[in-house]
């Protein structure tokens, strides 16, 4: 107990905080960089690296480099094996690969967000389709109940709300009355009236 008390006293004397609390902050050796900005610039560079314009520029630089090192003997800064040119290509490849990977990660994030959005839209569309299917089924049921009125018990084919015409009497317009076919919905709705 005396050791911990003396340490606490020493630390308090030096102006430090308690030991059970984390240190408030560390000194940053590197500046903070916005990840979105780096990803956006990496994607821009990666897109440029994949264009024909970049390939044309790079081919032109290589041709000029080799031509100057072969044609002008006094200016040979990179003799025949072109080691400096290979070093430049290696450095370019070392930077291009991570930039392309960063751009692919950004594209994967966009694809993931798009897929999530598409799933949500598909779910809403499925719910709407199911709702409309139920509504259409309800309308068909209501329409079939309206087309074939209920039959009273003991009425033998007469609708509940009035008198029915006899089957040999044509309805106005030359068609048979749907309610006249002894309760059968398909017999009374086809064709013009036939003479009896």
């Amino acid at each position: 107990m005396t050791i911990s008390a003396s340490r606490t006293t020493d630390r308090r004397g030096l102006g430090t905080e308690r030991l059970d609390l984390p240190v408030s902050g560390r000194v940053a050796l590197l500046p903070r960089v916005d990840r979105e900005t780096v990803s956006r610039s990496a994607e821009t560079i990666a897109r440029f690296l994949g264009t024909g314009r970049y390939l044309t520029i790079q081919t032109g630089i290589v041709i000029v480099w080799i031509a100057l090192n072969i044609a002008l003997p006094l200016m040979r800064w990179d003799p025949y094996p072109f080691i400096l040119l290979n070093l430049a290509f290696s450095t370019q490849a070392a930077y291009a690969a991570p930039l392309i990977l960063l751009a692919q990660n950004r594209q994967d994030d966009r694809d993931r967000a798009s897929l999530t959005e598409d799933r949500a839209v598909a779910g809403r569309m499925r719910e709407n389709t199911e709702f409309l299917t139920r509504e259409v089924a309800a309308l068909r049921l209501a329409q079939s109940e309206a087309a074939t009125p209920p039959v009273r018990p003991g009425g033998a084919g007469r609708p509940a709300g009035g008198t029915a015409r006899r089957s040999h009497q044509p309805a106005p317009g030359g068609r048979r009355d749907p309610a006249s076919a002894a309760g059968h919905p398909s017999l009374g709705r086809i064709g013009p009236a036939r003479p009896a």
Side-chain angles (χ1 to χ4, degrees):
M1 191 70 153
T2 58
I3 296 173
S4 63
S6 65
R7 284 185 184 168
T8 308
T9 315
D10 290 341
R11 290 188 180 273
R12 286 183 185 158
L14 297 174
T16 58
E17 297 292 323
R18 294 176 34 188
L19 292 177
D20 58 342
L21 296 176
V23 179
S24 61
R26 295 183 179 173
V27 177
L29 299 176
L30 298 175
R32 299 242 178 211
V33 180
D34 184 26
R35 185 176 177 185
E36 184 66 23
T37 305
V38 172
S39 297
R40 195 178 306 124
S41 60
E43 187 175 18
T44 304
I45 293 170
R47 284 187 183 191
F48 177 70
L49 291 177
T51 62
R53 181 179 179 191
Y54 170 75
L55 290 175
T56 304
I57 291 169
Q58 184 177 10
T59 304
I61 289 172
V62 169
I63 290 171
V64 169
W65 184 289
I66 292 173
L68 288 176
N69 280 299
I70 291 176
L72 300 173
L74 297 175
M75 292 186 60
R76 286 190 181 160
W77 68 88
D78 190 16
Y80 166 65
F82 307 116
I83 296 173
L84 190 58
L85 182 63
N86 286 327
L87 179 64
F89 280 145
S90 298
T91 305
Q92 174 199 1
Y95 279 103
L99 289 175
I100 291 169
L101 289 174
L102 281 171
Q104 286 178 345
N105 289 341
R106 185 173 162 85
Q107 183 64 40
D108 288 344
D109 291 343
R110 274 199 306 267
D111 291 343
R112 194 174 302 114
S114 176
L115 182 63
T116 304
E117 176 90 16
D118 290 345
R119 283 183 183 156
V121 168
R124 286 193 302 267
M125 287 179 62
R126 185 176 58 244
E127 290 171 0
N128 288 342
T129 303
E130 289 173 356
F131 172 75
L132 289 175
T133 303
R134 286 191 302 268
E135 288 296 314
V136 167
L139 287 173
R140 283 185 178 172
L141 284 174
Q143 186 178 12
S144 68
E145 288 175 2
T148 57
V151 178
R152 280 192 285 173
R158 294 187 180 182
T163 59
R165 292 189 187 103
R166 297 178 190 231
S167 62
H168 65 276
Q169 295 177 346
R175 295 189 153 260
R176 291 186 183 192
D177 187 21
S180 65
H184 197 281
S186 63
L187 295 178
R189 60 181 164 151
I190 301 176
R194 296 185 184 155

